[in-house]
Amino acid sequence: MATSMELRCWGGDWGLPSIHTESLVVLAYAKFSGAKLTVAPIDWTWRTLTGTVPELVCQGSTVTEPAQILNYLRKLRFNADYELSARQGADTMAYIALLEEKLRPALLHTFWVDTENYSSLTRPWFASRSPFPLNFLVPGHHANTALSRILLTKSDSPLHTITEVEGKIYSEAKECLNLLSHRLGTAYYFFGNTPCSLDAFVFGFLAPLHKASLPSSPLQNHLRQLENLQRFCDHILNAHFSSHPGSPQPVQETVDANLQKLTQLVNKESNLIEKMDDNLRSSPQHKPFRADPRPSPSNSTGSTPA
Amino acid sequence: MTLMLSVPLTLSNFSCYSPVCIDSSHFIMSLAAEAFVSQIAEDQILLSDCASSLAVQAYLRMCNLPVQVSYRPNAEYMSPSGKVPFVHVGNQVVSELGPIVQFTKAKGHSLSDGLDDVQRAEMKAYMELVNNMLLTAELYIQWCDDNTAAEISRPRYSSPYSWPLNHILAYQKQWEVRRKMTAVGWAGKNLEQVYEDVSQCCQALSQRLGTQPYFFNKQPTELDALVFGHLFTILTTRLTSDELSEKVKSYSNLLAFCRRIEQSYFEDSQAGSSSRGYSKGPSLF
């Protein structure tokens, strides 16, 4: 197809081509189906406020929303679902609905409503990618949209506050992650050996959660326990986005993952030792003993992957 | 927990009898659904609420639990979550199909025990599909489509109240639903797109069902109850246009599925009139 298609989306970071879920879905599907898209990030443009993201511009017509864009690509014969049976196609729709209903509220909460994550990660990122004076408006606007969506769809009455809903949405999200993990099993993709639109959607939802360095996230911790979902994301990144600068090589990836696990273990051990030490020092039987300054706990926080 | 007998209801629209589910060898899991409340019959109930309450009725019948339906105009306010239907058992009130399924499971009645993990994942996914697509489409058609809202939804919803309360409540409900549609991104859709979405959802359900009697072969599960509730209501409700029911009718295995469940679970109830109380129109026969 000689027609050029341009995709407007948010830019990438943390090893991902884009940190926005819907944009990632479209990018992944384009890679799977072989469509050539020129990616035009809307960072630092005025479109950060006015544009709906992601947006596909092709031959003068614009299409928004991942489902519509995927349909449009399919009409242009970029079809990654060609080999799916009818039943698998039905399963795809069902699992996408599951992701939307159960996982999206918790993701919105993690990134936009949780104060620690919002102030230390999300807001600076989006503010730094928006031109002045939009950097004051854009993150707040997104945060409000996220909050209202969560409250309207998940809370029992419009008067409830977010704290009452938090427990419910996180437990549903964890259940959803478990269900996805069960369904994926040990395979690399959800249906057979080739990726399809369901893989694109799951990747779009999970990859930001997997890669972002969130200060406080029970959901991310839960994802860390589900090995096959992490492997799924990493595999897609390496296989389809490996030419993108910033994504680590596969070998180094596993080495870094092991190193990270080791580091976590060592940190835990040293935290325990510190606590024991403090207990001993503060116990009344022992005189406070001014010793040499303690060697600082293991500082091999090392090269954590981006 | 000891059993309780039901108390005859004061406002019910049909003859009530006391359903007793006593099994002397199972004192622990005694569950007599005393009252099952939805909105007032025939006059006030709307398509989406009727679908949800029919789904719960079907589920409880599939579990062989006697249930009695009663209609109250203030059911929405009685419900703990603001949504109908809800089940009132003893001194506990549980609303909506998901929590009701968990509640009955805690009491020892469950339809989905025989499923393995992957099948359970599929079942939950399909239930979310129905909720996401069919329920949202029903709400959209009722409240965001101006014709239907003005001719059917607002008059019905406000029928038990006098002026000016009927206007206030109807517009308030419409405003709430439109806000929710905006939040999930359906506000920008037009009616054609909504019908298309319903059609795709039915196609997915039809393909999943195939030629099997139920979605997970031999035994019905809560997914069957939910799908039956929505499809049957769509098929038997008269709206301003027939396009919605035409979309469902084009899938013959879904029609056969609804008929099968209606025959198995709703034909053999003792109070014959009460089993027809939910449908506003003719049955499928």
Side-chain angles (χ1 to χ4, degrees):
Chain A
M1 278 270 166
T3 53
S4 67
M5 296 182 282
E6 185 188 309
L7 180 73
R8 298 202 191 115
C9 60
W10 282 103
D13 200 357
W14 316 321
L16 299 172
S18 169
I19 66 156
H20 185 226
T21 294
E22 276 115 4
S23 313
L24 264 181
V25 169
V26 177
L27 285 170
Y29 186 79
K31 290 278 181 184
F32 296 159
S33 61
K36 299 272 175 289
L37 295 178
T38 42
V39 177
I42 61 171
D43 304 0
W44 296 292
T45 68
W46 280 82
R47 287 213 188 88
T48 45
L49 189 65
T50 54
T52 39
V53 177
E55 204 175 23
L56 184 71
V57 179
C58 176
Q59 295 169 334
S61 60
T62 52
V63 191
T64 56
E65 286 199 25
Q68 313 271 2
I69 296 180
L70 259 57
N71 280 340
Y72 188 79
L73 287 174
R74 276 190 211 112
K75 285 200 194 106
L76 293 178
R77 283 188 266 135
F78 291 113
N79 193 355
D81 298 334
Y82 195 67
E83 292 169 4
L84 293 185
S85 70
R87 173 142 164 191
Q88 287 173 329
D91 283 351
T92 302
M93 276 187 74
Y95 276 104
I96 292 175
L98 184 73
L99 287 172
E100 279 283 331
E101 282 281 320
K102 301 265 177 173
L103 194 54
R104 190 186 279 278
L107 284 180
L108 285 177
H109 187 276
T110 304
F111 279 97
W112 292 102
V113 182
D114 182 280
T115 22
E116 218 180 303
N117 291 336
Y118 178 63
S119 52
S120 62
L121 185 70
T122 324
R123 194 194 163 98
W125 196 94
F126 278 87
S128 68
R129 297 288 196 282
S130 313
F132 182 85
L134 291 180
N135 50 347
F136 297 114
L137 302 173
V138 167
H141 173 72
H142 281 112
N144 283 339
T145 322
L147 182 63
S148 69
R149 182 180 168 142
I150 296 176
L151 282 179
L152 283 177
T153 52
K154 284 294 168 186
S155 79
D156 296 338
S157 110
L159 299 175
H160 286 186
T161 58
I162 191 69
T163 43
E164 293 160 7
V165 190
E166 268 171 23
K168 182 171 147 192
I169 56 179
Y170 275 112
S171 66
E172 284 188 350
K174 286 178 188 167
E175 194 194 327
C176 177
L177 287 177
N178 290 341
L179 292 175
L180 285 174
S181 181
H182 283 135
R183 178 64 183 82
L184 181 62
T186 51
Y188 273 125
Y189 300 113
F190 276 93
F191 297 119
N193 287 327
T194 49
C196 60
S197 47
L198 179 60
D199 302 288
F201 269 91
V202 176
F203 175 70
F205 276 83
L206 291 185
L209 186 65
H210 176 42
K211 287 289 186 188
S213 43
L214 296 163
S216 83
S217 175
L219 197 58
Q220 196 179 46
N221 294 338
H222 189 83
L223 181 62
R224 296 265 178 262
Q225 296 167 11
L226 297 170
E227 295 283 338
N228 58 352
L229 291 179
Q230 294 186 66
R231 188 169 41 85
F232 170 79
C233 292
D234 292 333
H235 178 81
I236 289 190
L237 271 175
N238 296 327
H240 298 275
F241 293 103
S242 54
S243 57
H244 189 273
S247 70
Q249 299 304 314
V251 173
Q252 194 186 355
E253 179 80 7
T254 45
V255 168
D256 282 340
N258 286 338
L259 184 59
Q260 195 187 20
K261 278 190 199 150
L262 196 59
T263 315
Q264 281 174 353
L265 270 174
V266 172
N267 278 340
K268 271 192 211 155
E269 290 291 333
S270 63
N271 284 342
L272 277 173
I273 293 177
E274 247 193 77
K275 272 193 201 147
M276 275 167 45
D277 208 5
D278 281 339
N279 285 341
L280 274 178
R281 282 179 198 285
S282 57
S283 80
Q285 291 129 347
H286 297 269
K287 284 198 303 232
F289 177 60
R290 281 273 164 248
D292 306 349
R294 287 198 308 260
S296 62
S298 152
N299 47 10
S300 62
T301 45
S303 54
T304 53
Chain B
M1 142 178 175
T2 57
L3 301 170
M4 68 288 157
L5 301 177
S6 77
V7 183
L9 302 159
T10 50
L11 278 184
S12 57
N13 277 355
F14 48 85
S15 63
C16 43
Y17 59 99
S18 48
V20 169
C21 170
I22 301 182
D23 186 349
S24 53
S25 62
H26 289 98
F27 268 28
I28 324 163
M29 31 173 247
S30 55
L31 170 63
E34 170 186 295
F36 168 97
V37 187
S38 67
Q39 283 177 303
I40 211 170
E42 310 300 340
D43 287 339
Q44 192 188 17
I45 196 168
L46 290 175
L47 173 62
S48 52
D49 297 328
C50 190
S52 310
S53 60
L54 185 56
V56 175
Q57 280 183 56
Y59 176 73
L60 290 174
R61 280 175 196 255
M62 285 172 186
C63 292
N64 286 323
L65 295 169
V67 63
Q68 186 180 358
V69 184
S70 89
Y71 301 91
R72 304 279 173 86
N74 56 343
E76 265 185 329
Y77 305 106
M78 280 203 265
S79 152
S81 71
K83 299 198 175 82
V84 286
F86 65 90
V87 175
H88 180 201
V89 178
N91 57 356
Q92 287 172 304
V93 184
V94 188
S95 68
E96 288 189 79
L97 184 65
I100 291 178
V101 168
Q102 283 174 344
F103 179 72
T104 50
K105 196 167 176 174
K107 299 288 182 195
H109 301 263
S110 169
L111 292 179
S112 54
D113 278 341
L115 302 178
D116 63 19
D117 284 330
V118 174
Q119 285 177 315
R120 192 161 311 193
E122 266 188 47
M123 182 183 79
K124 293 228 155 85
Y126 275 97
M127 284 175 77
E128 287 310 319
L129 177 69
V130 173
N131 278 333
N132 204 2
M133 288 255 177
L134 280 184
L135 184 61
T136 318
E138 284 165 8
L139 282 173
Y140 181 94
I141 291 172
Q142 279 170 221
W143 293 105
C144 296
D145 174 37
D146 291 323
N147 281 343
T148 319
E151 283 180 27
I152 297 183
S153 315
R154 284 203 298 264
R156 282 186 76 99
Y157 185 74
S158 56
S159 55
Y161 308 110
S162 59
W163 192 89
L165 193 57
N166 52 357
H167 280 287
I168 297 174
L169 286 180
Y171 278 103
Q172 183 186 43
K173 176 82 175 173
Q174 182 172 321
W175 176 76
E176 270 178 38
V177 173
R178 288 198 177 177
R179 253 180 59 183
K180 184 169 167 188
M181 292 293 126
T182 318
V184 295
W186 278 58
K189 296 197 183 188
N190 60 13
L191 209 53
E192 287 308 314
Q193 285 172 325
V194 171
Y195 286 140
E196 184 57 39
D197 284 338
V198 169
S199 187
Q200 276 185 8
C201 178
C202 292
Q203 188 184 26
L205 289 172
S206 171
Q207 280 164 355
R208 177 64 179 84
L209 182 63
T211 49
Q212 299 171 333
Y214 299 111
F215 276 95
F216 289 98
N217 214 3
K218 297 291 188 322
Q219 294 301 321
T221 54
E222 45 263 32
L223 174 62
D224 302 279
L226 184 65
V227 172
F228 170 73
H230 281 275
L231 292 184
F232 189 85
T233 319
I234 290 178
L235 286 167
T236 54
T237 305
R238 221 165 289 119
L239 291 173
T240 50
S241 86
D242 279 335
E243 213 170 319
L244 194 59
S245 55
E246 289 303 319
K247 297 275 178 199
V248 177
K249 275 186 196 156
S250 56
Y251 298 100
S252 56
N253 61 347
L254 292 181
L255 273 185
F257 170 77
C258 290
R259 230 173 247 143
R260 192 182 310 125
I261 294 198
E262 191 195 2
Q263 276 174 322
S264 326
Y265 293 102
F266 285 89
E267 286 297 303
D268 51 359
S269 67
Q270 295 169 9
S273 60
S274 63
S275 75
R276 289 276 182 269
Y278 51 78
S279 64
K280 297 193 284 295
S283 77
L284 283 177
F285 295 98

